[in-house]
Amino acid sequence: MSLLLSPIPLFFVFLWSTGFIVAKFGLPYAPPLTFLLVRYACAVAVLAPLVWLLKAPWPKGRAGHIAVSGLLLHGGYLAGVWCAIKLGMPAGLSALIVGMQPILTAFAAPLIGERVTPRQWLGLAFGLGGVAFVVYAKITLTGLSWQAIVLCLGALLSITAGTLYQKRWCPQFDLRTGTAIQFSACFLATLPFAVAFESLTPAFASVEWTPRFLGALAWSVFGLSIGAIFLLFALIRRSDATRVTSLLYLTPPTTALMAWLMFGEAFSPLGVAGMALAVTGVFFVVRK
């Protein structure tokens, strides 16, 4: 079955696309690093008992590699995007910048022994063009700062490096123990930055524990940190990095549809054309 048509990739795209929706719900009630810190802690609190009760195997000799890949895939990427949005980076522009990941992954593919065919390069170009069409109307430079641009570019480099690192050094591990290791590493790495830059206190005084915040937190833990990440790692196991990352071209169109349905945000004919172009591009990349 085609990677594009099988249920796991499609469900992954749906879950991953909710990330910007969660940010829209959660960021008004907590600083970005503090929100992410609570998210990592809750994910570990869910996974650790499962690891213990189910006697999940420990990845002997690979725990360090798994932690590094997690710091890049989750810690660097999420901190960069969320802090950039908090600093005024428009969601459309951040989606376009991060949407360059499949192209970067394709350029770096030879480093992990993968080859990108001419048809796949064409598909990657179509996909990036489709993303640009979808987010074009949402791109504005109002309130944009160089710090936000640097953070977003850093997030792009971080998730690209994390994908390649995991594919190269630790593609196979138990998802329960591996993900718990990754989020523990992210928690420890994020904690000092939250204390330094967001005045984090043991009482989490900067957090407004509203029902809306708790809902965003619950979805970010179960839907994204566990559900979407488990599916992403399953895809990395079974396919090459370029094919997997090309699925992220479908994230901005799917998010735009969600925003239209949930918040009444405009979805223009150009956005529809962009969605069709992105789907065509991904089809070219994943078709064997």
Side-chain angles (χ1 to χ4, degrees), residues 3-59:
L3 184 66
L4 184 58
L5 298 178
S6 59
I8 290 179
L10 294 179
F11 193 43
F12 163 73
V13 168
F14 165 75
L15 290 177
W16 196 266
S17 299
T18 64
F20 284 106
I21 304 297
V22 165
K24 188 177 182 72
F25 276 108
L27 278 180
Y29 305 102
L33 295 179
T34 300
F35 186 104
L36 292 173
L37 197 69
V38 176
R39 172 174 167 175
Y40 300 145
C42 290
V44 173
V46 171
L47 291 168
L50 292 178
V51 170
W52 181 69
L53 290 172
L54 300 177
K55 296 181 174 58
W58 184 260

Coordinates of all heavy atoms in Angstrom, one line a residue, residues 3-59:
L3 N 2.5 4.7 0.9 CA 2.7 5.4 2.1 C 1.6 6.5 2.3 O 1.2 6.8 3.4 CB 4.1 6.0 2.2 CG 4.5 6.7 3.5 CD1 4.6 5.7 4.6 CD2 5.9 7.4 3.3
L4 N 1.2 7.2 1.2 CA 0.3 8.3 1.3 C -1.1 7.8 1.6 O -1.9 8.6 2.1 CB 0.3 9.1 0.0 CG -0.5 10.3 -0.1 CD1 -0.1 11.3 1.0 CD2 -0.4 11.0 -1.5
L5 N -1.5 6.6 1.2 CA -2.8 6.1 1.3 C -3.1 5.2 2.5 O -4.2 4.9 2.9 CB -3.2 5.4 0.0 CG -3.2 6.2 -1.3 CD1 -3.6 5.3 -2.5 CD2 -4.1 7.4 -1.2
S6 N -2.0 4.7 3.2 CA -2.2 3.9 4.3 C -2.6 4.7 5.5 O -2.3 5.9 5.6 CB -0.9 3.1 4.6 OG 0.2 4.0 4.9
P7 N -3.3 4.1 6.5 CA -3.9 4.8 7.6 C -2.9 5.5 8.5 O -3.2 6.6 9.0 CB -4.8 3.8 8.3 CG -4.3 2.5 7.9 CD -3.7 2.7 6.5
I8 N -1.8 4.9 8.8 CA -0.9 5.4 9.7 C -0.3 6.8 9.3 O -0.4 7.7 10.1 CB 0.3 4.4 10.0 CG1 -0.2 3.2 10.8 CG2 1.4 5.1 10.8 CD1 0.9 2.2 11.0
P9 N 0.2 7.0 8.1 CA 0.6 8.3 7.7 C -0.5 9.4 7.7 O -0.3 10.5 8.1 CB 1.1 8.1 6.2 CG 1.5 6.7 6.2 CD 0.5 6.0 7.0
L10 N -1.7 9.0 7.3 CA -2.8 9.9 7.2 C -3.2 10.4 8.7 O -3.4 11.6 8.9 CB -4.0 9.3 6.5 CG -3.8 9.1 5.0 CD1 -5.1 8.5 4.4 CD2 -3.5 10.4 4.3
F11 N -3.2 9.4 9.6 CA -3.5 9.8 11.0 C -2.4 10.6 11.6 O -2.7 11.5 12.4 CB -3.7 8.5 11.8 CG -4.4 8.7 13.1 CD1 -5.4 9.6 13.3 CD2 -3.9 8.0 14.2 CE1 -6.0 9.8 14.5 CE2 -4.4 8.2 15.5 CZ -5.5 9.1 15.6
F12 N -1.2 10.3 11.2 CA 0.0 11.1 11.7 C -0.2 12.5 11.2 O 0.0 13.5 12.0 CB 1.3 10.5 11.2 CG 2.4 11.5 11.3 CD1 3.0 11.8 12.5 CD2 2.9 12.1 10.1 CE1 4.1 12.7 12.6 CE2 4.0 13.0 10.2 CZ 4.5 13.3 11.4
V13 N -0.5 12.7 10.0 CA -0.7 14.1 9.4 C -1.7 14.8 10.2 O -1.6 16.0 10.6 CB -1.0 14.1 7.9 CG1 -1.4 15.4 7.4 CG2 0.2 13.6 7.1
F14 N -2.8 14.2 10.5 CA -3.9 14.8 11.2 C -3.5 15.2 12.6 O -3.7 16.4 13.0 CB -5.1 13.8 11.3 CG -6.1 14.2 12.4 CD1 -7.0 15.3 12.1 CD2 -6.2 13.6 13.6 CE1 -7.9 15.7 13.1 CE2 -7.1 14.0 14.6 CZ -8.0 15.1 14.3
L15 N -2.8 14.3 13.3 CA -2.4 14.6 14.7 C -1.3 15.7 14.7 O -1.4 16.7 15.5 CB -1.8 13.4 15.4 CG -2.8 12.3 15.7 CD1 -2.1 11.1 16.3 CD2 -3.8 12.8 16.7
W16 N -0.3 15.6 13.8 CA 0.8 16.6 13.7 C 0.2 18.0 13.4 O 0.7 19.0 13.9 CB 1.8 16.2 12.7 CG 3.1 16.9 12.8 CD1 3.5 18.0 12.1 CD2 4.2 16.5 13.6 NE1 4.8 18.3 12.4 CE2 5.2 17.4 13.4 CE3 4.4 15.5 14.5 CZ2 6.5 17.4 14.0 CZ3 5.7 15.4 15.2 CH2 6.7 16.4 14.9
S17 N -0.8 18.0 12.6 CA -1.4 19.3 12.1 C -2.1 20.0 13.3 O -2.3 21.2 13.2 CB -2.4 19.1 11.0 OG -1.8 18.5 9.9
T18 N -2.4 19.3 14.3 CA -3.1 20.0 15.5 C -2.1 20.8 16.3 O -2.5 21.5 17.3 CB -3.8 19.0 16.4 OG1 -2.9 18.1 17.0 CG2 -4.9 18.2 15.6
G19 N -0.8 20.7 16.0 CA 0.2 21.4 16.9 C -0.1 22.9 16.9 O 0.0 23.5 18.0
F20 N -0.3 23.5 15.8 CA -0.6 25.0 15.8 C -1.9 25.3 16.5 O -2.0 26.4 17.0 CB -0.6 25.5 14.3 CG 0.8 25.6 13.7 CD1 1.3 24.7 12.8 CD2 1.7 26.7 14.2 CE1 2.5 24.9 12.2 CE2 2.9 26.8 13.6 CZ 3.4 25.9 12.7
I21 N -2.9 24.4 16.4 CA -4.2 24.6 17.1 C -3.9 24.6 18.6 O -4.5 25.5 19.3 CB -5.2 23.6 16.6 CG1 -5.4 23.5 15.1 CG2 -6.5 23.8 17.3 CD1 -5.9 24.8 14.5
V22 N -3.1 23.7 19.0 CA -2.8 23.6 20.5 C -2.1 24.9 20.9 O -2.4 25.4 22.0 CB -1.9 22.4 20.8 CG1 -1.3 22.5 22.1 CG2 -2.8 21.1 20.7
A23 N -1.2 25.4 20.1 CA -0.5 26.6 20.5 C -1.5 27.8 20.6 O -1.3 28.6 21.5 CB 0.6 26.9 19.4
K24 N -2.4 27.8 19.7 CA -3.4 28.9 19.7 C -4.2 28.9 21.0 O -4.6 29.9 21.5 CB -4.3 28.8 18.5 CG -5.3 30.0 18.3 CD -6.1 29.8 17.0 CE -7.0 31.0 16.7 NZ -6.3 32.2 16.3
F25 N -4.5 27.6 21.4 CA -5.3 27.5 22.7 C -4.5 27.7 23.9 O -4.9 28.2 24.9 CB -6.0 26.1 22.7 CG -7.3 26.0 22.0 CD1 -7.4 25.3 20.8 CD2 -8.4 26.6 22.5 CE1 -8.5 25.2 20.1 CE2 -9.6 26.5 21.8 CZ -9.7 25.8 20.6
G26 N -3.2 27.2 23.9 CA -2.5 27.1 25.1 C -1.6 28.3 25.4 O -1.4 28.7 26.6
L27 N -1.0 28.9 24.4 CA 0.0 30.0 24.7 C -0.5 31.2 25.4 O 0.2 31.9 26.1 CB 0.7 30.4 23.4 CG 1.8 29.5 22.9 CD1 2.4 30.0 21.6 CD2 2.9 29.4 23.9
P28 N -1.8 31.6 25.3 CA -2.3 32.7 26.0 C -2.2 32.5 27.5 O -2.3 33.5 28.3 CB -3.7 32.9 25.5 CG -3.8 32.3 24.2 CD -2.8 31.1 24.3
Y29 N -2.1 31.3 28.0 CA -2.2 31.0 29.4 C -0.9 30.6 30.1 O -0.9 30.3 31.3 CB -3.2 29.9 29.6 CG -4.6 30.2 29.0 CD1 -5.0 29.7 27.8 CD2 -5.4 31.2 29.7 CE1 -6.2 30.0 27.3 CE2 -6.6 31.5 29.1 CZ -7.0 30.9 27.9 OH -8.2 31.2 27.3
A30 N 0.2 30.5 29.3 CA 1.5 30.1 29.9 C 2.6 30.5 28.9 O 2.4 30.5 27.7 CB 1.5 28.6 30.1
P31 N 3.7 30.9 29.4 CA 4.9 31.2 28.6 C 5.3 29.9 27.8 O 5.0 28.8 28.3 CB 6.0 31.6 29.5 CG 5.3 32.0 30.8 CD 4.0 31.2 30.8
P32 N 5.9 30.0 26.6 CA 6.1 28.8 25.8 C 7.0 27.8 26.4 O 6.6 26.6 26.4 CB 6.7 29.4 24.5 CG 7.2 30.8 24.9 CD 6.3 31.3 26.0
L33 N 8.1 28.1 27.0 CA 9.0 27.1 27.6 C 8.3 26.5 28.8 O 8.5 25.3 29.1 CB 10.3 27.7 28.0 CG 11.2 28.3 26.8 CD1 12.5 28.9 27.3 CD2 11.5 27.1 25.8
T34 N 7.6 27.3 29.6 CA 6.9 26.7 30.7 C 5.8 25.7 30.3 O 5.7 24.6 30.9 CB 6.3 27.8 31.6 OG1 7.3 28.7 32.0 CG2 5.5 27.3 32.8
F35 N 5.1 26.1 29.3 CA 4.1 25.1 28.7 C 4.7 23.8 28.3 O 4.3 22.7 28.6 CB 3.3 25.8 27.6 CG 2.2 24.9 27.0 CD1 0.9 25.3 27.3 CD2 2.4 23.8 26.3 CE1 -0.2 24.5 26.8 CE2 1.4 23.0 25.8 CZ 0.1 23.4 26.1
L36 N 5.8 24.0 27.5 CA 6.5 22.8 27.1 C 7.1 21.9 28.2 O 7.1 20.7 28.2 CB 7.6 23.2 26.1 CG 7.2 23.8 24.8 CD1 8.4 24.3 24.0 CD2 6.4 22.7 24.0
L37 N 7.6 22.6 29.3 CA 8.1 21.9 30.4 C 7.0 21.1 31.1 O 7.3 19.9 31.4 CB 8.7 22.9 31.4 CG 9.6 22.4 32.5 CD1 10.9 22.0 31.9 CD2 9.9 23.5 33.5
V38 N 5.8 21.6 31.3 CA 4.7 20.9 31.8 C 4.3 19.7 30.9 O 4.0 18.6 31.4 CB 3.5 21.8 32.1 CG1 2.3 21.0 32.6 CG2 3.9 22.9 33.1
R39 N 4.3 20.0 29.6 CA 4.0 19.0 28.6 C 5.0 17.8 28.7 O 4.6 16.6 28.7 CB 4.0 19.6 27.2 CG 3.9 18.6 26.1 CD 3.8 19.4 24.8 NE 3.9 18.5 23.6 CZ 3.8 19.0 22.4 NH1 3.5 20.2 22.1 NH2 4.0 18.2 21.3
Y40 N 6.3 18.1 28.8 CA 7.3 17.0 28.9 C 7.1 16.2 30.2 O 7.1 15.0 30.2 CB 8.7 17.5 28.8 CG 9.0 18.3 27.6 CD1 9.9 19.4 27.6 CD2 8.5 17.9 26.3 CE1 10.2 20.1 26.5 CE2 8.9 18.6 25.2 CZ 9.7 19.7 25.3 OH 10.0 20.4 24.1
A41 N 6.8 16.9 31.3 CA 6.7 16.2 32.6 C 5.5 15.3 32.6 O 5.5 14.2 33.1 CB 6.6 17.3 33.7
C42 N 4.4 15.8 32.0 CA 3.1 15.0 32.0 C 3.3 13.8 31.1 O 2.9 12.7 31.4 CB 2.0 15.8 31.5 SG 1.4 17.1 32.6
A43 N 4.0 13.9 29.9 CA 4.3 12.8 29.0 C 5.1 11.7 29.8 O 4.8 10.5 29.6 CB 5.0 13.3 27.8
V44 N 6.1 12.2 30.5 CA 7.0 11.2 31.2 C 6.1 10.5 32.3 O 6.2 9.3 32.6 CB 8.2 11.9 31.8 CG1 9.0 10.9 32.7 CG2 9.1 12.4 30.7
A45 N 5.3 11.3 33.0 CA 4.4 10.8 34.0 C 3.5 9.7 33.5 O 3.1 8.8 34.2 CB 3.6 11.9 34.7
V46 N 3.0 9.8 32.3 CA 2.2 8.8 31.6 C 3.0 7.6 31.2 O 2.6 6.5 31.4 CB 1.4 9.4 30.4 CG1 0.7 8.4 29.6 CG2 0.5 10.5 30.9
L47 N 4.2 7.9 30.6 CA 4.9 6.8 30.0 C 5.7 5.9 31.0 O 5.8 4.7 30.9 CB 5.9 7.3 29.0 CG 5.3 7.9 27.7 CD1 6.3 8.7 26.9 CD2 4.7 6.8 26.8
A48 N 6.2 6.6 32.1 CA 7.0 5.8 33.1 C 6.3 4.7 33.7 O 6.9 3.6 33.8 CB 7.6 6.8 34.1
P49 N 5.1 4.8 34.2 CA 4.4 3.7 34.7 C 4.1 2.6 33.7 O 4.2 1.4 34.1 CB 3.0 4.3 35.2 CG 3.3 5.7 35.4 CD 4.3 6.1 34.3
L50 N 3.9 3.0 32.5 CA 3.7 1.9 31.4 C 5.0 1.1 31.2 O 5.0 -0.1 31.1 CB 3.3 2.6 30.1 CG 1.9 3.2 30.1 CD1 1.6 3.9 28.7 CD2 0.8 2.2 30.3
V51 N 6.1 1.8 31.2 CA 7.4 1.2 31.1 C 7.6 0.2 32.2 O 8.1 -1.0 32.0 CB 8.6 2.2 31.0 CG1 9.9 1.5 31.1 CG2 8.5 3.1 29.8
W52 N 7.3 0.6 33.4 CA 7.5 -0.3 34.6 C 6.5 -1.4 34.6 O 6.9 -2.6 34.8 CB 7.4 0.6 35.9 CG 7.6 -0.2 37.1 CD1 8.8 -0.8 37.5 CD2 6.6 -0.6 38.1 NE1 8.6 -1.4 38.7 CE2 7.3 -1.3 39.1 CE3 5.2 -0.3 38.2 CZ2 6.6 -1.8 40.2 CZ3 4.6 -0.8 39.3 CH2 5.2 -1.6 40.3
L53 N 5.2 -1.1 34.4 CA 4.2 -2.2 34.5 C 4.3 -3.2 33.4 O 4.1 -4.4 33.6 CB 2.8 -1.5 34.5 CG 2.4 -0.7 35.8 CD1 1.1 0.0 35.5 CD2 2.3 -1.6 37.0
L54 N 4.6 -2.7 32.2 CA 4.7 -3.6 31.1 C 6.1 -4.2 30.8 O 6.3 -4.9 29.9 CB 4.2 -2.9 29.8 CG 2.8 -2.4 29.8 CD1 2.5 -1.6 28.6 CD2 1.8 -3.5 30.0
K55 N 7.0 -3.8 31.7 CA 8.4 -4.3 31.6 C 9.0 -4.1 30.3 O 9.6 -5.0 29.6 CB 8.5 -5.8 32.0 CG 8.1 -6.1 33.5 CD 8.2 -7.6 33.8 CE 8.0 -7.8 35.3 NZ 6.6 -7.4 35.8
A56 N 8.8 -2.9 29.8 CA 9.3 -2.5 28.4 C 10.8 -2.6 28.4 O 11.5 -2.2 29.4 CB 8.9 -1.1 28.0
P57 N 11.4 -3.1 27.4 CA 12.9 -3.3 27.4 C 13.6 -2.0 27.3 O 13.2 -1.0 26.7 CB 13.1 -4.1 26.1 CG 11.9 -3.8 25.2 CD 10.8 -3.6 26.1
W58 N 14.8 -1.9 28.0 CA 15.6 -0.7 28.0 C 16.6 -0.8 26.8 O 17.1 -1.8 26.5 CB 16.4 -0.7 29.3 CG 17.3 0.6 29.4 CD1 18.6 0.7 29.2 CD2 16.8 1.9 29.8 NE1 19.0 2.0 29.4 CE2 17.9 2.7 29.8 CE3 15.6 2.4 30.2 CZ2 17.9 4.1 30.1 CZ3 15.5 3.7 30.6 CH2 16.6 4.5 30.5
P59 N 16.8 0.3 26.1 CA 17.6 0.3 24.9 C 19.1 0.3 25.3 O 19.7 1.4 25.3 CB 17.2 1.6 24.2 CG 16.7 2.5 25.3 CD 16.1 1.6 26.3

